[in-house]
């Protein structure tokens, strides 16, 4: 019995193998379940944002982070804050219930209250981490 | 014309932009070639990946960090939220290397590595 699906790169799909196939149902592909945005305004030690991802297990994810007023997105699950204070750091992480954006910034050193925000854009994939 | 497209619900597939397609045979897909798991029991963990070329890879670490939950996973490169320990990962034609900034002690952190098939050839 033959089953499954292959999509080749403008070749006869019969007999083609990786990497000639743009899609091959023998392999899992990265599929995006959802994209979440988390933010912490005026980050301070212990600040945390969380969002429920609705999965039963911890999902695979990739995070991009930035700090306002910067507009540059970093592909990191961790963002060091200006390098000004050792240990000041933000993290994106996941467990079986939530995605989290955690801040252990010691203090707002550079910007007036209300003007600094740490944002995370988190791509959650259908794969599980465990 | 050849190939297939699948659009999101409510969007005409003939005119849909790539962002509105859940699948298009016009584009390659990131295929998971293998997933590798284990414990970080040495300062550098060497893991054969079995690919013909240096692969695209994503490495996740779970450890007893003592933050929101001991079951939290972080994406490498990263430092443990309680500070002090940093992780990086790299690959050559044979192995993936997970590098810890200090020698580990039990209980060990766990890793999960996603290795992707070469999309460039």
């Amino acid at each position: 019995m033959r089953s499954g699906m292959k999509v080749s790169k403008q070749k006869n799909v019969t007999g083609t193998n990786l990497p000639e196939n743009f899609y091959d149902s023998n392999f899992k592909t990265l599929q995006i379940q959802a994209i979440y945005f988390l933010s912490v305004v005026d980050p301070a030690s212990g600040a945390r944002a969380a969002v429920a991802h609705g999965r039963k297990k911890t999902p695979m994810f990739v995070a991009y982070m930035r700090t306002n007023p910067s507009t540059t997105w970093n592909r990191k699950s961790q963002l060091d804050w200006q390098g000004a204070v050792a240990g000041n750091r933000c993290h994106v992480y996941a467990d079986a219930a939530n995605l989290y954006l955690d801040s252990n910034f010691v203090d707002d050193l550079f910007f007036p209250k209300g003007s600094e925000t740490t944002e995370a854009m988190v791509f959650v994939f259908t794969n599980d981490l465990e | 014309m050849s190939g297939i497209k699948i659009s999101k619900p409510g969007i005409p597939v003939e005119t849909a932009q790539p962002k509105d397609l859940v699948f298009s045979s016009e584009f390659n897909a990131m295929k998971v070639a293998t997933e590798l798991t284990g414990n970080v029991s040495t300062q550098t963990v060497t893991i054969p990946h079995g690919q013909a070329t240096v692969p695209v890879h994503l490495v996740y670490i779970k450890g007893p960090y003592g933050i929101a939950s001991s079951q939290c996973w972080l994406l490498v490169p990263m430092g443990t939220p309680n500070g002090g320990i940093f992780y990086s990962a790299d690959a050559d034609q044979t192995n993936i290397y997970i590098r810890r900034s200090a020698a580990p002690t039990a209980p060990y952190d766990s890793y999960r590595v996603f290795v992707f098939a070469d999309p460039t050839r």
Side-chain angles (χ1 to χ4, degrees), chain A residues 16 21 44 58 72 76 79 86 120 122:
Chain A
T16 60
N21 294 326
T58 306
T72 301
K76 289 181 176 179
L79 200 61
V122 188

Side-chain angles (χ1 to χ4, degrees), chain B residues 8-9 12-14 25 39 49 69 71 74-75 79 91-92 95 99 103-104 107 111 113 115 117 121:
Chain B
K8 292 178 182 175
V13 72
E14 298 87 350
S25 59
N39 292 324
H49 53 65
S69 161
Q71 300 302 307
L74 288 97
L75 176 59
D92 61 19
N95 299 310
R99 304 181 195 278
Y111 68 80
V113 180
V115 179
R121 293 190 303 165

